[in-house]
Amino acid sequence: MQLYGLKTCDSCRKARKALQNQQVEYIDVREGQVPDAVLEAALTKFGDALLNRASTTWRGLDEVARASDPLALLKAHPTLMKRPLIVHDGQMTLGWKPDVAAYYAALPGA
């Protein structure tokens, strides 16, 4: 299981705490790069929902940058990704809402 997020993100901290009994590889998107294959699959699955338009990074972009390709934007500014992005057994989840938390709580060993 890989959890892509930020150390300072409240949702990521909640997810990490809830998943502490699981084998989780934590990747801080500021320090480690999200593999292109993961970004492309996440963009295919979640579409524009993968972009965090409420982030300070997004607000700091000009209109030209905001209109550019989402994949290029996420590669250039990994903090634009909504978090946490969790990859487990070929499945992906985005965010840490009650339905996502319940899904991971039902896993063996949780």
Side-chain angles (χ1 to χ4, degrees):
M1 182 183 305
Q2 294 85 32
L3 187 153
Y4 298 92
L6 291 172
K7 291 177 187 174
T8 56
C9 171
D10 287 341
S11 295
C12 295
R13 285 195 290 247
K14 289 176 188 175
R16 287 181 76 182
K17 184 175 181 182
L19 297 171
Q20 65 188 352
N21 294 332
Q22 301 285 332
Q23 285 189 322
V24 178
E25 176 186 4
Y26 178 72
I27 299 100
D28 188 304
V29 297
R30 281 192 180 124
E31 297 169 7
Q33 189 172 358
V34 180
D36 288 349
V38 171
L39 267 182
E40 290 167 7
L43 197 54
T44 298
K45 179 169 182 164
F46 302 112
D48 282 349
L50 188 61
L51 288 172
N52 184 357
R53 289 185 167 86
S55 72
T56 55
T57 304
W58 178 263
R59 291 190 302 262
L61 296 174
D62 61 26
E63 290 302 316
V64 173
R66 289 180 183 180
S68 65
D69 176 56
L71 185 59
L73 264 177
L74 289 166
K75 286 181 182 181
H77 306 282
T79 57
L80 278 176
M81 183 180 75
K82 273 197 184 162
R83 320 168 280 279
L85 174 65
I86 304 172
V87 181
H88 176 65
D89 285 344
Q91 298 294 318
M92 286 184 168
T93 57
L94 185 62
W96 194 252
K97 300 286 184 195
D99 60 327
V100 174
Y103 170 78
Y104 288 105
L107 290 177

